[in-house]
Every structure is written in C-alpha cells, then in structure tokens.
Amino acid sequence: MTVAIVGDIGGTHARFAVWRDNGLEQIEVLATADYSSPESALAAYCERAGLSLGAGSAVCLACAGPVSDGDFQFTNNHWRINRAAFCRALHIERLLLINDFAATALGVTLLEPNERLAVRAGHAQADRPVVVIGPGTGLGAANLLPKGAGEWQALPGEGGHVDLPIGSESEAELWLLLHRQFGAVQAEDVLSGAGLLALYAVVCQRNGQPAQHANAAQICAAALQGESLATNALEQFCVWLGRVAGNHALSLGARGGVYIVGGMVPKFADFFVRSGFAAAFADKGAMGDYLADVPVWLVTAPYPGLLGAGVALQQAG
C-alpha cells in the first residue's frame, strides 16, 4: 500500500490527510458541525485536495469513542458510520476504524525531539508501558505496550471517564459543588473544554463572585493575563490533570513515560509547565517514589492522530 487517506475525527474537528510513503500530505481540518455525516466531510476533503472518490483505496479513521465491529456512533458529535454504506458512498475498498486515542498513542511513537516539551524530568524505560492522555472536547486516554523491535501496541480505553480524584480539602469543596451539578463527577467533567468552564464556575461560586467568562478560550486568556479567579481555575485544572495522569501511570506501571496531548494544553504550555501538574502527578503518598523517575512530555506536534492512523494502516497490512 503506497497511498491511502487517514482521518482523525473528534467532537469538534475532522482532520484528513493523504498517507503516502510513511508521511502526511495535503492536511485539511474541517468542522464537524458543518457536515451532516463523515461521508460528506470526507467527500469535501477529496474535492479540496483534488482527489477523485476512491483515489485512496484504503481509509483509516481515528474516531472519538469505543470502536467495535458494528456501526460506530461518535461520542461527542452527531455523526455515525456504517462501514458498508461508507465504502459504497466513497468508492473505498477498505475502511479501518480505530479509537482516536489509540491512534494518537501510535502517533507519539513517531515524534521528532522538537515535537514534545518536557514537563517532568525522568528516565523513560524502553521496555515499559506508556500513558497517553489529554483534554480537548472530552478527555481521552490510551496506553502503549512495547512489543519489541521498536514496535508498540496501542490499547484504547475510556480512562477519561474515571472518577475525579480528591487530593485536598480545597478540592473536596470544589468537588461537592461539582457533584451538585453532575452527580458522579468524572475526570472529563473537569478536564475538557466544557469542564474548564464548569470548574471556573464553581471557583467563582466558592469565592462569591459572578462568572465573567463564557468559554474555555476566554478563561485561558484571562488566566494568562493574571486574572485571579481564571488563574485559580486553570491552575486547579492542571493539578487535577496531574492527579488523573498519575493515577493512570500508577495503574499501568507506565515507567516508559506519559504524554499529554490534545488541543487544549499547548495553548497555555508555559503556564502548564510552571503549574502544580508535576507535583500532583506524583502526590501518591507511599507510592510517590514509584513515579519519581517517570518523565512527562507535552506533545506539540499538530497531528499525532493522523500519524497514528497511518501507522495503524501499516500494521494492519
């Protein structure tokens, strides 16, 4: 196989590219809200890229949500995929669907040194598992297991829906306010775009102040300008991401390292590196030493999911 089409489809954006000779070409990013179906979005991509339908006989789509053999329903948007109908509509011989974070996990194995930023120093053990986790429209998580000879197996999961951990009295107060809103509080309820807005709202509520911002982008901008409540919310966001990432690393034994991915954190990378993330990551009591030498990187490469979709096609043969 020399030419294929790869896609990475999340709740907000659908990214497509041509996969040729182990690299990405003609990358386009489309808004999922602008298209009624993944078929229409991919057809629009082909038109923009000057490709006829069926130009790539194989397509791999990294999709947000659990993938099975049946129809696929996206977790955070309105799209659905029936494999047979999709292939007929787009004149495709072969369609491979994989979980979006499994693809992102495979993608980080191809990163160049300048496509990741060190957040926490450590020593990555080449024969140990790796955690890949990151907030965006939702909170995604996947694991990498070493297969030997430089190859990795990606294990998708729904780790973004674990319970939100509580590590201090202050966090317990915020958790109670969140619980009144959500009931059972999942990590994704805070560690996502909508989650940051919910977190900011309860920070304001606890301080007896009205919320001034209506979305995550406004909160991040205000925090970077030093606005107190927005800064407190974004700092707590980083701390909770550290607690959740540390829990995943501890559960998996991820001494191969942890990668933070997704569209949110790179937008406030300097803040994130200076935040309480690293301390919260290893705040595990007697087991803190277990994580002492586990490195954490922030992925700055723009399209790790597309790279991983290409790797998945190669591995599938």
Side-chain angles (χ1 to χ4, degrees):
M1 180 192 66
T2 58
V3 178
I5 295 175
V6 294
D8 179 15
I9 305 174
T12 306
H13 295 107
R15 304 160 185 87
F16 296 110
V18 171
W19 178 258
R20 190 197 314 266
D21 298 328
N22 302 324
L24 300 173
E25 301 176 4
Q26 296 176 274
I27 298 169
E28 293 275 355
V29 181
L30 308 180
T32 57
D34 292 343
Y35 299 91
S36 61
S37 66
E39 290 94 331
S40 62
L42 186 54
Y45 166 75
C46 289
E47 182 177 358
R48 292 185 184 204
L51 301 172
S52 60
L53 294 183
S57 60
V59 172
C60 179
L61 299 181
C63 304
V67 176
S68 66
D69 292 335
D71 290 357
F72 181 83
Q73 176 64 59
F74 287 84
T75 300
N76 289 316
N77 69 41
H78 60 288
W79 286 357
R80 187 181 189 89
I81 291 179
N82 175 278
R83 287 172 170 81
F86 187 97
C87 291
R88 283 196 304 270
L90 296 170
H91 303 234
I92 291 166
E93 296 178 8
R94 180 176 173 223
L95 172 64
L96 175 64
L97 301 183
I98 60 171
N99 173 263
D100 61 335
F101 257 76
T104 297
L106 289 172
V108 304
T109 68
L110 297 182
L111 294 179
E112 298 294 336
N114 64 348
E115 294 180 318
R116 66 183 191 182
L117 178 66
V119 177
R120 187 174 187 271
H123 173 70
Q125 298 181 22
D127 61 343
R128 299 303 299 272
V130 171
V131 165
V132 181
I133 186 169
T137 303
L139 177 65
N143 304 313
L144 286 170
L145 299 183
K147 298 172 63 177
E151 294 188 357
W152 296 84
Q153 179 181 358
L155 296 180
E158 292 301 316
H161 297 281
V162 299
D163 292 339
L164 185 71
I166 301 171
S168 68
E169 290 185 5
S170 174
E171 289 174 9
E173 293 174 3
L174 293 172
W175 183 92
L176 284 171
L177 295 173
L178 290 163
H179 186 265
R180 292 171 189 169
Q181 178 179 351
F182 294 109
V185 185
Q186 300 178 354
E188 184 177 85
D189 293 331
V190 166
L191 300 175
S192 59
L196 177 57
L197 182 60
L199 176 57
Y200 168 71
V202 297
V203 167
C204 292
Q205 182 180 348
R206 186 179 64 175
N207 284 275
Q209 299 293 326
Q212 300 293 324
H213 307 296
N215 56 53
Q218 293 177 9
I219 296 165
C220 290
L224 296 181
Q225 293 171 3
E227 186 179 302
S228 176
L229 293 178
T231 299
N232 290 345
L234 193 60
E235 171 64 20
Q236 185 59 61
F237 181 97
C238 296
V239 168
W240 254 322
L241 181 55
R243 296 200 190 285
V244 173
N247 284 352
H248 280 281
L250 196 61
S251 297
L252 185 67
R255 287 179 162 170
V258 173
Y259 289 85
I260 306 299
V261 298
M264 287 188 68
V265 179
K267 295 176 182 176
F268 52 91
D270 291 341
F271 183 105
F272 183 68
V273 171
R274 297 193 305 268
S275 76
F277 169 91
F281 177 85
D283 183 18
K284 305 301 179 191
M287 293 304 297
D289 289 346
Y290 186 89
L291 298 177
D293 200 32
V294 175
V296 180
W297 299 279
L298 173 62
V299 174
T300 57
Y303 305 111
L306 288 176
L307 286 172
V311 173
L313 271 178
Q314 288 179 324
Q315 290 187 350

